Amino acid sequence: MDDTYVYSPLDCEKQEIRLFRANRLLDRTNSFGFSLLQITLNEAGNLGYIALSYVWGDPHRTSPVILENGRVLLVTENLRSFIDQFFSHSVPDVCYLWIDSICINQDDAIEKSWQVQQMRCIYELASKVLAWLGPTTNDSDVAMDCFERIAQEVEDGTSELLASFREFYGFTPESPGAKVILNPWASPTNAIDGPLLKRIAELVSEACQRDDFPLDALTSLFRRPWWERAWVLQEAQANDVVVVSCGAKRTKLSHIQLVFQGLESCSYRLEAMSLEGGGRRLTQQQQRILRWGRNELSSIATPLLEGGVLGCTLEEVLERMHGPGGEASRRVKASDPRDLVFAMLGLPVLRDTVRAIVPDYTKTCRDVFIETARALIVHGATNMLWYCSTPDSADGIDGLPSWVPDWSSTSISPVAWILKMGDYWPTLPKGNSPSPEPQFWTGNVNKFSIEMVGYELGRVQNIYRASAYITPDNKMRAAWHTAILGSRPFVTANGYLGIGTSALRQNDMVVLIPGIRAPWILRGVAGGKARLVGPAYVHGIMRGEWMTTSPRLKQFTVC
């Protein structure tokens, strides 16, 4: 007989969820009986449940959890290690947890879809969010103790400053805006948080530069996979109380962010000191932090460690989740590529902007990506085009239109990153400018295209390698940038000199699209349509020189 637990259907109209309930057994002090409780979301909020945030781990390596009715739930080894650790310590006689892999029937795509739509509310209503990093390894206890110690030093070192603010301004922790003002890394916009931020940065920097600072232990903990999991941005920012657990140790998420950002800031200052020179000698610990900043930082940093995405614009969310690319960039990850989109939808900037997109696991990954891209551009997020794949991309989701980013494999290209970060807005004609938002035409979902208008500046005629890139400016600098960016210099038939992606071909069109930050390369395809190839830098258009040629607006059907 199969003892596997059989899920009873949830009532969507009543907004039902399941909770993992643990009851202490009377005959055994540290033993619990487990069951699943079916309950409405509002009722669950009165039970003080804990919402778990964790990495599933290998789905093929499982361990059984025996329920009170004798039925069996198979959970991953990482979740099993959490359950064993959590219930080995002091917990109430009756305890409730929300754990996605247990509380959602993962074999029911429809249930999974509408349960995921409620996830932000589930984490908001929890008494706290508990983030499980995994068992104790690689001196993780030392790292966790370090977070607590530095947080206490910051609290002690800023108490007098905060007391003076309270006395002078009549400010108390319960005052309106107190939560923002007490955020150590809030922007220093007024007399209160400016000096406070500076003092906190000084205290953390001093702690990082002590000889006993456990840099290796912290680095190992920062590399744990939980930090790069796509869902943690929503889970950790939906609740005011987020506790991070690693083995038997616990600390607040804000304490870890405080130390990471202080360490990051310290490495930047030491880099500046080393460049300035001036006879300054760095201590041995300062040299370690400097090397860490150069060799480790970029491969460790994640959106959550750097402060999350609350208050970010849509463009900033996309940048943080799908950064500049390359080996030295730690992108967010998900075992199901669709979750790279669904995990963003609960974030405030997207939840309020892209209401038309809801998690739906009955749809293919391709359809999810297409519908999301369409919704983003319709809502004015033209910067999304920076994250589109180039035609020479070797992996990813097959069959995506060129204007749809492949969230599963493609970060913003190095060429796009440099152009996007620079001040490269080209000058456009005044008056009668087209709408900066590309317009869609609707048809078969497999043939979605967008109608764009733009100015064709010319056609690519000659393409060069880095060694052939010669300009009146510094030749070495130009060659270095070209080689590093993996780009190709080109010349158009009418004489424009530019730099584009490695996917360039002869006769590609150089087009200036109003509302998009740099010229784009388009390639003509069958049926009079075009595909995006990538952005480009074109010398001589940024100050409006090109307008003397009396360019005409053209319409492009981009597929």
Side-chain angles (χ1 to χ4, degrees):
M1 179 180 176
D2 187 1
D3 292 332
T4 302
Y5 179 80
V6 178
Y7 287 91
S8 299
L10 293 175
D11 191 324
C12 180
E13 293 185 0
K14 292 182 179 179
Q15 290 188 306
E16 285 188 333
I17 65 171
R18 298 184 187 93
L19 292 178
F20 184 65
R21 178 171 57 190
N23 298 284
R24 190 183 301 276
L25 300 180
L26 297 178
D27 58 334
R28 300 172 66 184
T29 306
N30 289 323
S31 295
F32 288 81
F34 302 120
S35 61
L36 287 181
L37 172 66
Q38 203 160 305
I39 190 173
T40 67
L41 185 56
N42 286 336
E43 292 171 337
N46 298 323
L47 296 179
Y49 69 91
I50 298 170
L52 182 66
S53 177
Y54 69 109
V55 174
W56 280 26
D58 187 345
H60 302 294
R61 301 180 65 178
T62 60
S63 179
V65 173
I66 310 298
L67 301 181
E68 289 179 333
N69 61 5
R71 295 294 182 176
V72 176
L73 285 171
L74 292 178
V75 301
T76 60
E77 289 184 349
N78 187 46
L79 179 53
R80 180 77 231 196
S81 68
F82 164 77
I83 293 174
D84 293 342
Q85 181 67 57
F86 182 80
F87 290 104
S88 67
H89 292 273
S90 177
V91 294
D93 290 341
V94 180
C95 180
Y96 298 92
L97 295 165
W98 189 86
I99 305 172
D100 60 352
S101 64
I102 291 177
C103 298
I104 298 176
N105 182 359
Q106 300 296 324
D107 295 326
D108 186 338
I110 295 176
E111 177 186 302
K112 185 177 176 181
S113 298
W114 67 267
Q115 283 284 289
V116 166
Q117 294 174 38
Q118 296 189 110
M119 276 183 60
R120 184 169 185 88
C121 291
I122 290 172
Y123 280 86
E124 284 177 342
L125 290 175
S127 61
K128 66 180 174 184
V129 172
L130 183 59
W132 171 247
L133 299 188
T136 300
T137 56
N138 300 325
D139 288 332
S140 57
D141 284 355
V142 175
M144 296 291 282
D145 288 341
C146 175
F147 297 133
E148 284 293 282
R149 183 177 66 253
I150 293 180
Q152 187 61 54
E153 291 174 4
V154 168
E155 184 176 335
D156 295 341
T158 56
S159 58
E160 292 185 7
L161 188 60
L162 284 172
S164 65
F165 288 147
R166 294 188 185 104
E167 181 178 354
F168 185 80
Y169 293 100
F171 168 81
T172 69
E174 292 75 29
S175 301
K179 181 180 175 183
V180 175
I181 293 173
L182 286 173
N183 177 0
W185 300 98
S187 299
T189 55
N190 57 49
I192 294 180
D193 60 6
L196 177 61
L197 178 64
K198 182 179 178 181
R199 180 57 181 152
I200 289 172
E202 291 172 350
L203 290 167
V204 178
S205 180
E206 291 171 4
C208 293
Q209 296 179 63
R210 289 198 294 258
D211 291 340
D212 62 349
F213 183 74
L215 185 59
D216 292 340
L218 266 64
T219 299
S220 179
L221 190 135
F222 291 146
R223 288 194 181 280
R224 298 226 176 185
W226 183 80
W227 297 104
E228 59 190 1
R229 180 173 169 265
W231 284 104
V232 302
L233 282 170
Q234 180 182 158
E235 294 167 356
Q237 295 185 161
N239 198 294
D240 292 335
V241 182
V242 183
V243 177
V244 177
S245 176
C246 185
K249 298 287 186 177
R250 292 186 181 182
T251 188
K252 293 181 180 178
L253 173 63
S254 58
H255 293 172
I256 298 179
Q257 292 172 321
L258 181 82
V259 174
F260 176 83
Q261 293 166 31
L263 182 58
E264 183 180 42
S265 177
C266 182
S267 72
Y268 292 153
R269 287 197 299 273
L270 292 174
E271 184 68 54
M273 288 172 56
S274 69
L275 293 174
E276 291 172 0
R280 295 183 182 180
R281 294 181 61 86
L282 300 182
T283 66
Q284 186 174 2
Q285 177 65 7
Q286 287 175 332
Q287 291 174 9
R288 288 185 67 211
I289 295 175
L290 182 60
R291 289 192 298 270
W292 179 87
R294 291 172 175 174
N295 303 326
E296 305 282 352
L297 176 58
S298 60
S299 63
I300 291 175
T302 65
L304 192 58
L305 278 171
E306 293 188 323
V309 293
L310 288 179
C312 291
T313 64
L314 173 58
E315 179 180 355
E316 290 168 338
V317 170
L318 294 174
E319 284 179 5
R320 293 196 178 193
M321 294 190 72
H322 305 278
E327 294 181 0
S329 176
R330 197 178 183 193
R331 299 179 58 220
V332 296
K333 296 178 181 178
S335 56
D336 185 335
R338 293 171 293 187
D339 285 337
L340 293 168
V341 168
F342 296 157
M344 292 193 296
L345 298 179
L347 300 173
V349 67
L350 282 166
R351 182 178 54 181
D352 297 336
T353 303
V354 194
R355 297 181 182 274
I357 302 298
V358 295
D360 186 348
Y361 288 94
T362 65
K363 294 181 179 179
T364 66
C365 184
R366 177 177 177 271
D367 289 346
V368 169
F369 286 8
I370 290 174
E371 291 179 12
T372 302
R374 182 181 185 276
L376 289 174
I377 295 183
V378 163
H379 284 82
T382 53
N383 285 303
M384 182 208 68
L385 295 175
W386 293 99
Y387 302 89
C388 294
S389 303
T390 59
D392 56 356
S393 297
D395 56 0
I397 306 301
D398 292 332
L400 287 177
S402 64
W403 50 270
V404 177
D406 184 351
W407 309 113
S408 70
S409 65
T410 305
S411 301
I412 186 171
S413 71
V415 176
W417 184 257
I418 296 299
L419 290 171
K420 189 171 180 296
M421 295 301 290
D423 185 17
Y424 294 125
W425 282 100
T427 303
L428 294 172
K430 294 182 179 179
N432 300 319
S433 293
S435 167
E437 300 179 8
Q439 302 299 312
F440 281 90
W441 62 274
T442 57
N444 188 297
V445 71
N446 295 321
K447 298 179 180 179
F448 264 175
S449 299
I450 52 175
E451 298 291 335
M452 286 184 172
V453 289
Y455 300 91
E456 183 177 339
L457 303 181
R459 301 272 178 144
V460 174
Q461 185 176 62
N462 297 316
I463 303 171
Y464 302 96
R465 295 188 178 277
S467 59
Y469 184 52
I470 302 174
T471 72
D473 302 318
N474 188 309
K475 178 180 176 181
M476 287 300 295
R477 182 191 305 172
W480 181 85
H481 275 289
T482 302
I484 293 297
L485 296 177
S487 58
R488 291 291 180 87
F490 66 87
V491 176
T492 64
N494 54 348
Y496 282 116
L497 175 66
I499 303 175
T501 73
S502 58
L504 272 175
R505 292 181 187 173
Q506 286 188 330
N507 208 41
D508 282 347
M509 297 173 282
V510 182
V511 179
L512 190 57
I513 304 169
I516 299 180
R517 193 161 195 156
W520 275 75
I521 305 296
L522 271 66
R523 179 171 300 155
V525 295
K529 298 179 181 179
R531 289 182 62 84
L532 294 177
V533 175
Y537 173 81
V538 180
H539 188 69
I541 73 163
M542 300 306 174
R543 294 181 176 84
E545 301 93 329
W546 64 281
M547 289 188 293
T548 59
T549 61
S550 301
R552 291 185 303 172
L553 271 177
K554 295 179 62 176
Q555 182 163 306
F556 301 91
T557 300
V558 180
C559 60

